[in-house]
Amino acid sequence: MNLEILQTPIEYLKGVGPLRAAILRKELGVHTYQDLIQLFPNRYIDKTRYYKVNELQQNMADVQLIGYITHFRTVEQKKGKRLVATFRDDTGTMELVWFRGQKWIAENTKRDQPYVIFGKVNWYNGFSMAHPEMELFSQHEKSMRSAMQAIYPSTEKLSQKGISNRVIIKLMEQLFIATKGRFLETIPEGITQELKLLSKSKAMFNIHFPQSQSLLSRAQFRLKFEELFYIQLQLLSKNISRKTKIKGYVFEKVGHHFKSFYDNYLPFELTTAQKRVVKEIRNDLGNGAQMNRLLQGDVGSGKTIVALMSMLLAIDNGFQATLVAPTEILAIQHYNGIVELVKDMDIVVSLLTGSTKSAARKEIHQQLQSGALHILIGTHAVLEDKVHFKNLGLAIVDEQHRFGVAQRAKLWRKNHTPPHILVMTATPIPRTLAMSLYGDLDISVIDELPPGRKPISTVHRYDSNRLKVFRFIKDEIQKGRQIYIVYPLIQESEKLDYKDLMDGYESIVREFPAPEFQISIVHGQMKPADKDYEMDRFIKGETQIMVATTVIEVGVNVPNASVMIIESAERFGLSQLHQLRGRVGRGAEQSYCILMTGHKLSSDSKTRLQTMVSTNDGFEIAEVDLKLRGPGDLMGTQQSGVLNLKIADIVKDNEILKKARLYASVILKKDPKLAMSEHRVIRHNYFLLNKDKKIWNYIS
Ligand code: ADP
Ligand code: MG
């Protein structure tokens, strides 16, 4: 079988040798035949098209022409000399230029026979081509060609050392000779037939030597599918093994608290999405395995009520629940909101934060251990080892990106059997990406806002329009609304940013003088108590303007605030802009978001601003963000290895990913251990991939 051949060190391939092998290893990470065969082209050039000289244009990529090469001459230049020849076809002439290998070219080029030349055209007082690939037309006609020529990844070092694209193609040819072009099939026949996939061998051949555009497309599809299929198989089986191995408390009842809340105290009708998510959570809580679920929902989509109803399920089954928020302000808001919702029910709720006084803390500890306390809401203080529950059944974490894995682990240890975990986030991660990143989390999405929300109206204004913006702010304040003005604060340039903030604050104070206007300011260099004091004044409506850095980004709920002004908006990432905008639009009034920038904007900045202006949909924004930044920069994906994909593209190949996941899940459902004979091919390949630890690289 080819398996062993593929493990051969690359220097043994004809045409490589130790010198080239060293370069291939260093520059492309190609150590073995296997690595080379998996060096997939970046793009292809259409070799079926022949251009005429009079069709050339100034900014063309590589082109292919047929004609005669004549009139060789040597031109002296500052350093050394160049060889120039005239290339002629029946429509005109151009120059061919060589800086190296001149003697050989001059002596071996045939002046009386047509050539096919190929390369990149340059224009400088006429067209020219440097170091063209050349082949006698008579040869060209005879040789077996692919319709499209592969262009492989390259580096400066590679081309310096003479390993051109052409050389790589030659090596690839050798590799196909050495392996006879036969590769182990990795996808079972059932799927191959259903999806009309090319066989592995045919796909490999056509990815490197496409015989037609359509065979190339099919080869790409097949290889991308294969890559994504095995990743999904790995992620899903990891998830399955968690479910079978980690036992969870069974909340079998939908009891009195849940029912009476639903019937009597729920202040609004749940949206369809909320209902669906509650159902998903209920299933998890009842099935005997520990729940590990990520709940994604855009800002304002109503995650809190879902959290509360899940906690009621815990209480109905004799368990306690906790809700942990990243900041004290948020914890307090959750506490107030939930106390209000359950005020007519016999449920005991407490708040535990860093500033809880020791007497109160003592009481909380006692009630937690006696079981008298049902719901504990708090900050990281809840995680401390000295906080013991009698019987914690469900832990909910709000805004997960402020919350590390280690902290999640602390929650796991708060009971004999780990409690169920629900992680809520308003940072939308495109679903497909989330699927490939969080194999060990199940995902729920609230993809619908409660009815009656007025979409936030977003505009982009230049700094030069500031006076108009100030006038607008005054009008809104006169109508009784409150305003956020946010400045960027990015760590590396903290001093400078801080100065911007203070300058901005002073100019706003000048423009909006007391006593008519009251202004709050909140930034990271203030003491927490001062921050809370300022925040509190704004929440109570004592101040009309809140000047702040991004500390207000997460969760704060001031329904009367209807204008969000973001200064130097070009310096924020898309997801951050969206988070900030989510601070307004929470009340009944029309809300506005104004993005302020200077005139100089990069094209990415423009795209970000346009995206914000054109949509309020967090998932749509996340998709654009993903395209702009690539998955590497998205929250939580840094070490996840999605970038190590060899051929698939997590963004562009979304549809293939979905298909791959579907097939993987159907197979695992039927045959979790891959023991059935029809899955032999998969089992075998899966084992090989795992042996090389290749797949593990993908796991976050
Ligand atoms: P987030 O998902 O950002 O945490 P919240 O849970 O804070 O959102 O909900 C935002 C607001 O929407 C709250 O004032 C909440 O009471 C309200 N809300 C939530 N669900 C609904 C619903 N189904 N119908 C009407 N209002 C709702
Ligand atoms: Mg929230």
Side-chain angles (χ1 to χ4, degrees):
M1 227 331 102
N2 264 322
L3 275 178
E4 275 134 54
I5 293 184
L6 287 177
Q7 297 315 314
T8 314
I10 196 66
E11 53 252 62
Y12 297 117
L13 187 68
K14 194 170 164 213
V16 179
L19 270 175
R20 279 184 167 174
I23 301 165
L24 287 172
R25 278 195 294 267
K26 184 142 179 289
E27 296 296 309
L28 295 173
V30 169
H31 297 254
T32 61
Y33 286 15
Q34 168 88 30
D35 295 332
L36 184 63
I37 204 77
Q38 293 203 45
L39 180 72
F40 294 119
N42 283 338
R43 60 195 176 90
Y44 298 85
I45 289 167
D46 187 352
K47 286 278 216 165
T48 56
R49 172 91 155 91
Y50 299 92
Y51 285 84
K52 296 280 185 187
V53 170
N54 71 352
E55 290 176 307
L56 297 181
Q57 283 169 22
Q58 290 193 22
N59 47 8
M60 262 180 175
D62 305 72
V63 291
Q64 183 170 242
L65 303 99
I66 305 172
Y68 291 87
I69 303 173
T70 53
H71 294 93
F72 281 88
R73 59 207 179 274
T74 300
V75 180
E76 298 289 334
Q77 44 185 48
K78 253 188 234 147
K79 263 195 205 160
K81 51 196 179 187
R82 63 179 189 269
L83 178 69
V84 180
T86 301
F87 176 86
R88 174 189 307 279
D89 70 8
D90 51 5
T91 69
T93 63
M94 66 185 284
E95 289 190 338
L96 306 183
V97 184
W98 293 265
F99 302 97
R100 299 182 301 269
Q102 300 167 351
K103 188 159 176 280
W104 192 90
I105 295 283
E107 286 172 5
N108 289 284
T109 305
K110 301 205 166 29
R111 326 274 148 131
D112 53 353
Q113 293 184 39
Y115 275 86
V116 177
I117 64 162
F118 177 81
K120 178 151 177 40
V121 282
N122 299 305
W123 194 87
Y124 181 78
N125 287 336
F127 289 104
S128 66
M129 189 183 284
H131 289 269
E133 286 179 17
M134 295 156 49
E135 190 173 33
L136 279 170
F137 182 67
S138 51
Q139 289 302 127
H140 182 81
E141 275 191 315
K142 268 188 268 168
S143 62
M144 205 277 300
R145 296 261 128 204
S146 50
M148 323 278 295
Q149 182 187 293
I151 305 290
Y152 289 94
S154 184
T155 66
E156 202 158 326
K157 264 268 164 52
L158 279 172
S159 35
Q160 261 174 27
K161 302 277 179 184
I163 305 187
S164 62
N165 195 58
R166 194 159 180 78
V167 168
I168 295 188
I169 290 174
K170 281 264 181 289
L171 298 182
M172 213 55 94
E173 282 171 8
Q174 286 306 324
L175 193 55
F176 273 84
I177 293 169
T179 57
K180 302 195 176 70
R182 286 211 294 266
F183 299 93
L184 189 69
E185 188 49 67
T186 51
I187 303 280
E189 215 177 296
I191 299 180
T192 316
Q193 277 176 4
E194 231 175 279
L195 291 176
K196 300 200 170 52
L197 299 179
L198 290 186
S199 71
K200 174 85 170 194
S201 300
K202 197 160 182 191
M204 275 303 200
F205 184 69
N206 277 285
I207 204 79
H208 293 294
F209 303 100
Q211 298 303 296
S212 69
Q213 179 64 55
S214 99
L215 279 167
L216 172 60
S217 308
R218 291 181 63 196
Q220 286 171 322
F221 182 89
R222 140 89 213 204
L223 295 170
K224 287 173 177 183
F225 178 86
E226 172 184 338
E227 180 169 44
L228 295 168
F229 174 78
Y230 277 97
I231 294 171
Q232 291 303 322
L233 208 60
Q234 173 76 51
L235 287 169
L236 290 168
S237 60
K238 197 174 154 193
N239 188 318
I240 290 172
S241 74
R242 173 172 60 75
K243 280 185 181 156
T244 48
K245 284 193 194 116
I246 305 177
K247 289 237 174 315
Y249 297 115
V250 182
F251 299 178
E252 55 200 345
K253 288 198 291 225
V254 175
H256 165 71
H257 290 105
F258 187 95
K259 280 197 205 116
S260 94
F261 179 78
Y262 195 86
D263 293 341
N264 307 318
Y265 305 117
L266 189 61
F268 36 68
E269 169 97 12
L270 292 182
T271 62
T272 313
Q274 284 170 321
K275 283 183 194 158
R276 185 187 63 236
V277 170
V278 169
K279 203 179 259 172
E280 284 166 356
I281 293 171
R282 258 175 61 183
N283 280 341
D284 280 4
L285 297 176
N287 72 10
Q290 185 223 14
M291 172 173 82
N292 241 325
R293 190 169 277 279
L294 177 69
L295 172 54
Q296 290 193 50
D298 215 340
V299 279
S301 61
K303 294 184 289 294
T304 314
I305 204 83
V306 172
L308 174 61
M309 293 175 69
S310 311
M311 294 196 285
L312 295 178
L313 281 171
I315 297 167
D316 277 342
N317 287 275
F319 290 89
Q320 293 163 302
T322 186
L323 171 58
V324 185
T327 65
E328 178 150 15
I329 292 173
L330 277 177
I332 293 170
Q333 277 194 357
H334 274 312
Y335 175 75
N336 291 336
I338 285 174
V339 164
E340 175 65 25
L341 284 165
V342 302
K343 64 176 188 287
D344 296 322
M345 299 170 67
D346 54 344
I347 288 179
V348 183
V349 188
S350 284
L351 175 71
L352 179 67
T353 71
S355 34
T356 306
K357 297 278 182 309
S358 64
R361 187 179 282 264
K362 218 168 168 183
E363 195 186 340
I364 289 173
H365 284 187
Q366 273 168 7
Q367 290 189 333
L368 271 182
Q369 290 195 17
S370 74
L373 182 53
H374 299 115
I375 295 178
L376 181 63
I377 295 171
T379 56
H380 289 68
V382 172
L383 304 180
E384 287 172 24
D385 291 333
K386 59 185 183 223
V387 178
H388 295 287
F389 290 80
K390 178 172 184 226
N391 197 11
L392 181 65
L394 171 66
I396 301 178
V397 177
D398 197 17
E399 304 299 349
Q400 53 101 216
H401 61 278
R402 302 282 169 97
F403 209 81
V405 177
Q407 287 155 328
R408 251 204 280 163
K410 280 195 161 179
L411 285 172
W412 281 46
R413 291 196 293 270
K414 292 268 179 210
N415 207 344
H416 312 294
T417 295
H420 297 293
I421 308 275
L422 180 66
V423 174
M424 304 197 295
T425 179
T427 307
I429 303 164
R431 196 180 179 101
T432 46
L433 182 60
M435 289 189 315
S436 22
L437 290 177
Y438 299 103
D440 61 335
L441 291 179
D442 293 306
I443 297 169
S444 289
V445 182
I446 305 185
D447 49 7
E448 182 187 356
L449 291 180
R453 293 275 167 83
K454 291 201 183 82
I456 300 163
S457 150
T458 302
V459 293
H460 171 206
R461 291 282 177 268
Y462 292 104
D463 291 337
S464 46
N465 290 331
R466 187 168 298 280
L467 285 181
K468 267 196 189 150
V469 173
F470 280 157
R471 224 171 298 143
F472 176 74
I473 297 178
K474 276 188 188 140
D475 287 349
E476 286 296 300
I477 292 177
Q478 238 127 53
K479 289 191 214 154
R481 315 272 186 273
Q482 288 168 284
I483 320 287
Y484 291 106
I485 304 179
V486 175
Y487 285 80
L489 214 161
I490 295 161
Q491 255 151 16
E492 301 110 65
S493 53
E494 204 166 318
K495 278 222 176 78
L496 207 75
D497 288 337
Y498 185 66
K499 186 175 174 302
D500 282 353
L501 170 73
M502 294 322 284
D503 288 352
Y505 175 68
E506 274 158 30
S507 74
I508 290 159
V509 170
R510 243 177 286 131
E511 193 68 30
F512 299 90
E516 190 186 353
F517 300 100
Q518 297 292 327
I519 303 174
S520 284
I521 179 164
V522 170
H523 58 77
Q525 301 191 346
M526 287 164 70
K527 290 205 194 80
D530 296 342
K531 260 195 261 183
D532 289 352
Y533 173 78
E534 288 289 328
M535 201 62 224
D536 206 43
R537 291 211 309 150
F538 188 69
I539 292 172
K540 287 189 186 134
E542 293 169 11
T543 57
Q544 298 100 358
I545 300 177
M546 162 64 74
V547 177
T549 57
T550 48
V551 290
I552 57 147
E553 174 187 336
V554 168
V556 183
N557 191 15
V558 181
N560 190 49
S562 65
V563 181
M564 167 63 65
I565 296 175
I566 304 177
E567 294 286 345
S568 305
E570 76 277 12
R571 291 179 54 194
F572 291 88
L574 257 180
S575 75
Q576 218 178 3
L577 288 173
H578 182 62
Q579 286 296 310
L580 286 168
R581 177 168 62 183
R583 297 305 105 219
V584 298
R586 305 186 146 236
E589 306 307 330
Q590 174 62 52
S591 290
Y592 303 90
C593 174
I594 304 178
L595 307 168
M596 304 292 299
T597 73
H599 278 279
K600 257 204 203 138
L601 293 171
S602 71
S603 81
D604 276 9
S605 300
K606 279 182 198 153
T607 307
R608 287 198 296 267
L609 296 166
Q610 276 159 12
T611 306
M612 286 295 292
V613 169
S614 66
T615 181
N616 274 302
D617 179 338
F619 281 89
E620 205 178 315
I621 289 170
E623 297 281 355
V624 176
D625 202 24
L626 187 59
K627 276 176 194 147
L628 285 180
R629 298 195 298 166
D633 290 331
L634 268 192
M635 216 69 81
T637 65
Q638 281 83 352
Q639 314 95 341
S640 65
V642 269
L643 293 172
N644 301 342
L645 291 177
K646 285 221 160 28
I647 185 162
D649 178 318
I650 208 95
V651 179
K652 295 189 192 123
D653 298 322
N654 232 307
E655 292 305 312
I656 307 179
L657 174 59
K658 280 184 208 159
K659 219 168 235 157
R661 184 171 176 92
L662 180 68
Y663 275 88
S665 70
V666 167
I667 286 172
L668 286 173
K669 206 164 264 165
K670 201 161 107 185
D671 183 14
K673 297 220 157 67
L674 300 174
M676 291 159 64
S677 67
E678 61 185 281
H679 297 144
R680 197 177 43 87
V681 168
I682 302 179
R683 183 172 64 243
H684 185 66
N685 193 52
Y686 189 75
F687 171 76
L688 286 175
L689 288 168
N690 273 322
K691 206 172 93 194
D692 290 359
K693 294 266 185 297
K694 289 236 169 72
I695 279 192
W696 293 109
N697 296 337
Y698 295 112
I699 309 305
S700 54

